[in-house]
Amino acid sequence: MRSRNLAVTATLIPVLMLAGCGTDTASGAAASAPGAKKASKHALTDEVAGQTDLAGADDPVVRAYYDYRVALDQMMRSGGGKTKQLAPVMTARVFQAISVQAKYYRTKRLHNTGITTVLWAKRTLASNGVIVSACYDTTAARTVDANGRAVLPASTPTRWLDQMRVQPLQGRWVVDGGTTTPNAC
């Protein structure tokens, strides 16, 4: 039972950390750099072929969110080994938080299989900036240990709602925190 609680905590670390990154707990950010866009555009068509709503990806703010999700998925599938793709799509503060999660994955020898599917993403304006609200599904993205055994209980939610604040940084849009909550969106 204790290892199950640990596994749930390991998987939800990015959720918990992102919630503490911004000054507003109901917002966050997503980003893309011109160089990251090319990599992510390739990744979106090759690695995230399951996406059902890429129409908003022409909007640089929404595209920034997709780039963020692709970079985060790459890190988790690599077991925390690949982190260089994260820096161009998020602020230093968020990168630091996600790096802690990557270290946890490496230490515990965890990794994800499959991909996260973004079901929809849209931009909204709020008093504290630009927000990307997105619904994503983790049904195909299992977290497993070094032996390939699932580490999360079957009751772990698979639908999540992101509320990410997007901010411009040196001519590109970047993730600056936000919240992720289980939601049947």
Side-chain angles (χ1 to χ4, degrees), residues 59 61-62 122-126 128-133 163-164:
D59 176 347
V61 174
V62 174
K122 63 183 178 178
R123 165 213 293 235
T124 57
L125 294 176
N128 60 346
V130 180
I131 307 298
V132 171
S133 299
Q163 298 287 320
M164 296 289 159

Side-chain angles (χ1 to χ4, degrees), residues 12-83:
L12 296 179
I13 284 176
V15 173
L16 299 172
M17 292 199 167
L18 283 177
C21 287
T23 56
D24 179 5
T25 60
S27 63
S32 68
K37 276 189 178 181
K38 289 183 181 177
S40 295
K41 187 173 187 178
H42 182 276
L44 280 174
T45 57
D46 291 344
E47 294 177 18
V48 194
Q51 304 302 348
T52 58
D53 178 18
L54 292 179
D58 289 339
D59 176 347
V61 174
V62 174
R63 181 55 181 235
Y65 175 79
Y66 282 104
D67 291 345
Y68 162 77
R69 288 295 337 158
V70 168
L72 193 57
D73 267 1
Q74 288 173 347
M75 183 280 292
M76 289 189 283
R77 281 193 316 273
S78 74
K82 293 183 180 179
T83 58

Side-chain angles (χ1 to χ4, degrees), residues 8-185:
V8 171
T9 301
T11 300
L12 296 179
I13 284 176
V15 173
L16 299 172
M17 292 199 167
L18 283 177
C21 287
T23 56
D24 179 5
T25 60
S27 63
S32 68
K37 276 189 178 181
K38 289 183 181 177
S40 295
K41 187 173 187 178
H42 182 276
L44 280 174
T45 57
D46 291 344
E47 294 177 18
V48 194
Q51 304 302 348
T52 58
D53 178 18
L54 292 179
D58 289 339
D59 176 347
V61 174
V62 174
R63 181 55 181 235
Y65 175 79
Y66 282 104
D67 291 345
Y68 162 77
R69 288 295 337 158
V70 168
L72 193 57
D73 267 1
Q74 288 173 347
M75 183 280 292
M76 289 189 283
R77 281 193 316 273
S78 74
K82 293 183 180 179
T83 58
K84 288 184 181 183
Q85 77 283 359
L86 296 169
V89 299
M90 57 187 64
T91 62
R93 180 177 51 191
V94 176
F95 179 76
Q96 182 180 11
I98 298 298
S99 293
V100 171
Q101 180 195 10
K103 182 179 179 182
Y104 185 88
Y105 266 56
R106 287 189 306 271
T107 303
K108 299 299 181 184
R109 299 179 57 200
L110 302 173
H111 70 279
N112 281 12
T113 61
I115 59 170
T116 298
T117 304
V118 175
L119 302 174
W120 56 263
K122 63 183 178 178
R123 165 213 293 235
T124 57
L125 294 176
S127 62
N128 60 346
V130 180
I131 307 298
V132 171
S133 299
C135 177
Y136 68 92
D137 184 86
T138 59
T139 303
R142 294 182 22 192
T143 303
V144 298
D145 62 16
N147 297 321
R149 286 180 287 194
V151 295
L152 298 176
S155 61
T156 302
T158 58
R159 290 278 175 101
W160 299 86
L161 180 65
D162 268 348
Q163 298 287 320
M164 296 289 159
R165 186 175 40 256
V166 180
Q167 76 175 40
L169 178 67
Q170 300 174 349
R172 58 192 166 100
W173 291 98
V174 296
V175 175
D176 186 39
T179 61
T180 302
T181 55
N183 190 312
C185 46

